[in-house]
Structure formats: C-alpha cells, structure tokens
Amino acid sequence: GRAVGREAEGDPPQVARRPPRRQGRNPPTHATHGDAEAARGLAGGSCGERVGRSHGRGRIAAKAAAVARGAADRSPVGSQNLSWGAPRDRGARAFMDRTLLTRHKGDYLASSFFQGGADGFVDTVDPSTGVPLDRVPFRLAAVGEAVADARASSSAWGAVPVSQRLEILRRMCDLLDGRRGELAALVSRESGKALWEAQLEAVAAVRAVELMLDQGAAILADAPHPNAQGSLRRRTVGVVGVVTPFPYPLYVPIQLLVPVLLAGNTVVWKPSSQVPLSSQRLAEVFDSARIPSGVLSMLQGPADPLGKALVRNPGLDMVVAACSATTARALRKGPSRQRVWAQAGGKGWAIVCADADLDRAAYEVVTSAFLTGGQRCNATSRVLVERTVAQEFLKRVVALTGTM
C-alpha cells in the first residue's frame, strides 16, 4: 500500500515521506491567523491565555468562567442583558473579516486539498446577515478515494508507537491553541454562534485535546491480565468514518477525531455541510502538525448523498458519529460487519427545587436552552419545578428571555 507519513528529524525509519501529490491537488496553504494582540482583542477579552507549562506542554488558564461572567452577568433579573448577537467591538469584526480571506480548498485527501469537478455545491452564509460566504463543491467519488487512502495507510499508522502518535497530536494541540482567535472568529461568522461563545469553544477544544493526550497513553498501554499470566494489549479497529454536526465545529470533531487517531486508526471525516470553512481550517491544523498521508481525510458535502455514501461504504470498519437519534438508528442499519458508536441527541432536563436560588436557576435554564440557538444535544428543553416556587421561577425565566 501507499507509504504513510513523512520523514522528519527524529522520525523512525518506518515512517516514510508523503507520496507525490496527485494531479489536480492544491498545496496545503494556510491563512495567517493574525497577531496575538488582534486575537486578544476579540470581544470577551483574552480568554484561555497560557499561564505556565506542565510536562513540557502548555496549559490553558481557567478563564472560561470569567469570560462567561463578562458576557452575561449573573445579577438579579431585570439588570441582565443576554444579548448574544454579533460582536459589538469593531476591532473584533475586522479581525473576523481577515480570517475569511481564504475560501474553500476542496476535500482533504492524501495530505493535500483537492478540487476537481463537482457533483453539487453547498452554500454557506453568515446567519446573522444572510451574506454568502462561499460555495463549496462536493464529489461523490471522493468517498471511495478517501476510504482507499485510509485503508492503504492503516497498517503503517497502527504500527507507529503510541509515543510518536502522541507527539504528532501534541503538535496539533499547540497549533490549535495558537489559532484559537482565528478559529473562533470563523466559527462565529459561519455558524452564527456569539463570538464569546465561540471563543469558549476554542478554549474547550484545546483543553479536551490536552486531557485526552494525558490520559490516552495510560489507557493504551499494555496491562497485566487479571486472571492469567500474560498481558492485555489493545489493537486498532482499522478505518473509521467520523461524522460530526454543526453546533460545535471545533469541540465535537476534536472529541471524536483525537482518540480515534491516537488509538492507531485511520479516519475519514465528514463534517457538517453547514460549517465547511470552519472544518477546513481544523483540517489545516492537522495538516500543519504533519499528520501522515492518508491517516486523516476530510470530505465536504451534505448528508445526502455524500454522508450516506460514506457510512454505507463497506471499506469502513467502524462509524463514529455525533448526531440525532434518527441518524443513529439509520447508522445501525449499515453493513453488518461495521461497528457503530453514536452520541445521539435527547431531551435535556433541569430540576428546580423549592430551596434553589431562583435567580441563578432561571439564568442557568435560559442559558442552557438558548446558547448556540438551542442547537445542542444537551440544551435544556424541559424543566421540572416544585409547585411552591413554579410561578416565581416562571416570572424570572420570562423576564430573562425578554432581554435577548
């Protein structure tokens, strides 16, 4: 099969150079992500700055709560302003504009972005203004190409020691951290999420990678067998299709891609067609970290027909998805040999007891219900309130929703 990876100083002999780029593929260019001061000037302040290092890697400061307090103060009802719309700072808007200078580059296949022909197009717009951002083509033939690339690279990637896979993903984490401002601005513009909320998502995505890498080495290490002589050793699944939704264009893909890659599997990633530019930027981060060729592919396009073609491809050994309950049930009907892991949506309950701080409870319920436009699997959609405080609680909820 195709040789996997690229040689770099300190790389082992079995990790070879990337193969020559196929004709028609664009070199992986990356938009500049602005200077540090511009990133810090985004609405909400300098969230998540590094304040120290541990084990040779940066740590994210615990400033998410401070940003949240600055965006929506938890003061008594009547003095709050839950204005979660476009950023008020002109400097932030200008920075957001600069992040969109690079348009779509196509599918990410064999370590490069490919544009060549189209079976259809996906239009992405700024939800707050309706202004078109780009028209992104998709190709059904890319599904087979991506799965074939992943299969050809699977054995070599699985043979790479966990320590070296960790090294690649730590590079990715550092790059992700350095581009937080750029990524948050693009997520806000493309998905309609408030800028301060997108900033928190970017901080959470970096922190999630750090935690997974910290714990991953121990989880994947050989362990003594509890009942017999010998050891337990984990093996790779093979080729994994990963499907992610639009509400968290950074955080959810990171949660699914990193553990699958760290465990030695190759990935064909199909992000939501509503956030193609944000997904492309995330793929660029992996590419800058020098992820070996064929180990990660990204396909742009709608769920139907491209998403369906991917999850039904017999070349996949497993499908991992964050999706609706309807989609999860459909995935269970895929090829019989295919494993399925689906994180499906549900109903988010909140319980308010009679002795609760009603101002705080109302704030938490409204925030959970309406952040990200309510488009989250864990958004509060049902509230169970003790009868003795139901009316007082309802007044507070109505007053808060009236300020949005």
Side-chain angles (χ1 to χ4, degrees), residues 7 262 360 404:
E7 287 183 351
L262 180 58
R360 173 69 179 271
M404 292 192 296

Side-chain angles (χ1 to χ4, degrees), residues 32-68:
T32 58
H33 50 276
D35 54 41
E37 293 303 320
R40 294 192 189 101
L42 292 170
S46 56
C47 64
E49 291 179 334
R50 291 189 181 277
V51 295
R53 290 190 173 271
S54 175
H55 302 293
R57 298 170 48 223
R59 290 296 180 186
I60 300 303
K63 293 189 177 180
V67 175

Side-chain angles (χ1 to χ4, degrees), residues 13-368:
Q14 69 266 31
V15 180
R17 292 187 182 276
R18 286 182 174 181
R21 300 185 186 280
R22 295 177 184 171
Q23 186 176 4
R25 297 207 174 159
N26 302 325
T29 56
H30 308 286
T32 58
H33 50 276
D35 54 41
E37 293 303 320
R40 294 192 189 101
L42 292 170
S46 56
C47 64
E49 291 179 334
R50 291 189 181 277
V51 295
R53 290 190 173 271
S54 175
H55 302 293
R57 298 170 48 223
R59 290 296 180 186
I60 300 303
K63 293 189 177 180
V67 175
R69 286 195 297 271
D73 184 26
R74 294 178 179 179
S75 51
V77 173
S79 62
Q80 299 194 35
N81 180 15
L82 301 183
S83 179
W84 298 327
R88 293 165 288 180
D89 181 18
R90 291 184 180 179
R93 173 59 69 178
F95 179 71
M96 291 171 70
D97 289 338
R98 294 202 302 274
T99 67
L100 291 174
L101 294 178
T102 300
R103 300 304 184 188
H104 76 270
K105 300 176 183 177
D107 299 316
Y108 182 67
L109 301 168
S111 301
S112 56
F113 290 92
F114 179 85
Q115 293 184 15
D119 295 313
F121 296 88
V122 172
D123 293 316
T124 179
V125 300
D126 182 338
S128 66
T129 64
V131 174
L133 299 177
D134 205 351
R135 169 166 264 207
V136 181
F138 65 88
R139 300 182 308 117
L140 290 175
V143 173
E145 295 173 13
V147 173
D149 285 346
R151 179 61 63 191
S153 305
S154 179
S155 296
W157 177 243
V160 171
V162 173
S163 61
Q164 292 174 35
R165 298 200 292 265
L166 279 168
E167 181 182 348
I168 293 172
L169 293 172
R170 282 180 178 138
R171 279 202 302 266
M172 185 279 297
C173 184
D174 288 338
L175 290 165
L176 182 67
D177 188 23
R179 300 182 188 182
R180 285 200 323 268
E182 169 195 341
L183 289 163
L186 182 53
V187 166
S188 178
R189 174 66 70 84
E190 189 174 41
S191 71
K193 181 179 294 190
L195 182 56
W196 68 265
E197 188 182 355
Q199 288 176 310
L200 293 183
E201 179 185 349
V203 172
V206 174
R207 181 58 179 151
V209 177
E210 292 184 332
L211 289 173
M212 286 186 284
L213 297 185
D214 283 346
Q215 299 173 12
I219 293 174
L220 296 175
D222 293 353
H225 196 286
N227 301 317
Q229 290 184 345
S231 62
L232 297 174
R233 179 174 299 173
R234 296 181 182 270
R235 63 181 183 183
T236 62
V237 172
V239 179
V240 179
V242 174
V243 180
T244 57
F246 79 92
Y248 290 95
L250 304 177
Y251 185 66
V252 171
I254 282 295
Q255 278 193 313
L256 303 187
L257 294 173
V258 169
V260 172
L261 291 168
L262 180 58
N265 303 289
T266 53
V267 174
V268 181
W269 172 35
K270 193 283 180 192
S272 168
S273 59
Q274 297 186 54
V275 285
L277 301 181
S278 302
S279 304
Q280 175 179 290
R281 289 292 174 85
L282 186 55
E284 289 173 356
V285 173
F286 278 95
D287 185 79
S288 296
R290 299 185 311 199
I291 190 83
S293 177
V295 171
L296 172 66
S297 300
M298 182 201 66
L299 304 179
Q300 301 277 21
D304 189 6
L306 191 135
K308 287 184 177 180
L310 174 62
V311 300
R312 293 172 180 172
N313 190 295
L316 296 183
D317 298 303
M318 184 176 185
V319 173
V320 173
C323 55
S324 67
T326 300
T327 301
R329 284 191 290 269
L331 290 175
R332 299 286 182 186
K333 300 177 181 179
S336 58
R337 63 178 291 273
Q338 197 178 81
R339 304 184 191 182
V340 175
W341 184 95
Q343 178 183 347
K347 285 297 181 182
W349 279 88
I351 301 175
V352 181
C353 301
D355 60 349
D357 179 339
L358 297 184
D359 288 336
R360 173 69 179 271
Y363 171 83
E364 297 291 353
V365 166
V366 171
T367 300
S368 178

